Amino acid sequence: MFFFTKNPFAVIHFYYLNLSLFFFSISAASYIFWGDFSPTSTVKIVALIIATSLYALLLLYFLYLEKNQEWIIPRQWKRVHESPRLYALVIFPLLIITVLWFNLAGTLPMVWTYMTGKHQIVETSATVVKKHSRNTTFYSFQTIYSDIPIFRITLKEYEAYKNHQLKLQLTTRKSHFGTYILSIDEIQIATQNLANK
């Protein structure tokens, strides 16, 4: 994944690590763009601890290989050669810990909740918000749940609801890990014209 190695057994491990990172990245992307799951705060914190610990173990593995002179940094990776500590302690962790966190806090508990969670109809308060990313503006319902794809709305809906307090009726699956939103069944205007209050 990071380095070339002279040990054939270590090469096999690198292939496994590369393959794992690839699948974890696909899984994390699927959760980000299509996962209508809101994890609990505890799940988020525990996932961060586990992801950080796994990266620390990975780093120790590479240090062990270095001690035994079983790997070298590829020549093509000029920037890594120039600042190996920066990459090992900042850039690689940002990438790997983030990917692992999305899987541990999102994808895995989402699948578990979808398959085994308790089916519930719930009501929640909401407002509409406008958010800006680098190249676009998007609109969504703001609720007690995480900002997830199912809460995205159109500009027309935003204009219709922007001055109102809303109540949403949701069909969900709930587990100890969080809530999976299956559908938004009803939107009610609870308070008129927030802008004038």
Side-chain angles (χ1 to χ4, degrees):
M1 182 167 60
F2 299 155
F3 311 100
F4 289 146
T5 176
K6 300 172 185 177
N7 183 334
F9 293 106
V11 170
I12 293 171
H13 290 133
F14 288 133
Y15 284 128
Y16 279 129
L17 288 170
N18 278 327
L19 195 60
S20 297
L21 185 60
F22 172 75
F23 282 114
F24 281 142
S25 298
I26 297 296
S27 178
S30 299
Y31 167 70
I32 292 168
F33 293 109
W34 299 290
D36 294 321
F37 177 72
S38 179
T40 64
S41 298
T42 303
V43 168
K44 292 177 182 179
I45 293 167
V46 171
L48 181 60
I49 293 168
I50 294 173
T52 304
S53 301
L54 288 173
Y55 181 76
L57 289 173
L58 187 61
L59 194 59
L60 289 174
Y61 171 68
F62 284 125
L63 291 173
Y64 168 79
L65 292 179
E66 179 189 27
K67 185 179 179 181
N68 290 287
Q69 298 181 342
E70 293 179 348
W71 60 262
I72 57 171
I73 300 173
R75 283 176 300 182
Q76 297 89 339
W77 293 24
K78 294 179 182 178
R79 291 184 180 176
V80 180
H81 272 287
E82 293 168 2
S83 308
R85 288 185 182 177
L86 173 67
Y87 277 81
L89 299 176
V90 179
I91 296 174
F92 288 145
L94 284 175
L95 169 66
I96 295 172
I97 291 173
T98 301
V99 168
L100 288 174
W101 183 84
F102 276 118
N103 280 276
L104 294 169
T107 307
L108 295 176
M110 177 182 71
V111 171
W112 175 265
T113 301
Y114 183 80
M115 293 176 64
T116 66
K118 185 179 178 183
H119 189 271
Q120 292 183 342
I121 306 293
V122 298
E123 275 194 358
T124 186
S125 297
T127 55
V128 293
V129 292
K130 179 195 294 188
K131 296 186 178 180
H132 303 279
S133 65
R134 182 176 291 179
N135 298 318
T136 188
T137 300
F138 59 92
Y139 312 90
S140 65
F141 292 118
Q142 184 164 339
T143 69
I144 58 169
Y145 302 107
S146 301
D147 185 19
I148 53 181
I150 199 169
F151 290 136
R152 296 281 174 88
I153 59 174
T154 64
L155 172 59
K156 186 177 179 180
E157 290 171 315
Y158 171 78
E159 293 293 341
Y161 295 131
K162 68 179 180 180
N163 294 324
H164 302 290
Q165 181 73 39
L166 307 171
K167 278 190 179 179
L168 306 182
Q169 182 176 295
L170 310 172
T171 299
T172 68
R173 286 190 180 275
K174 221 167 196 177
S175 75
H176 294 298
F177 300 115
T179 304
Y180 189 96
I181 312 296
L182 294 169
S183 64
I184 301 172
D185 302 324
E186 190 176 345
I187 302 169
Q188 296 179 347
I189 295 176
T191 306
Q192 297 290 330
N193 205 359
L194 294 178
N196 293 333
K197 290 198 167 191

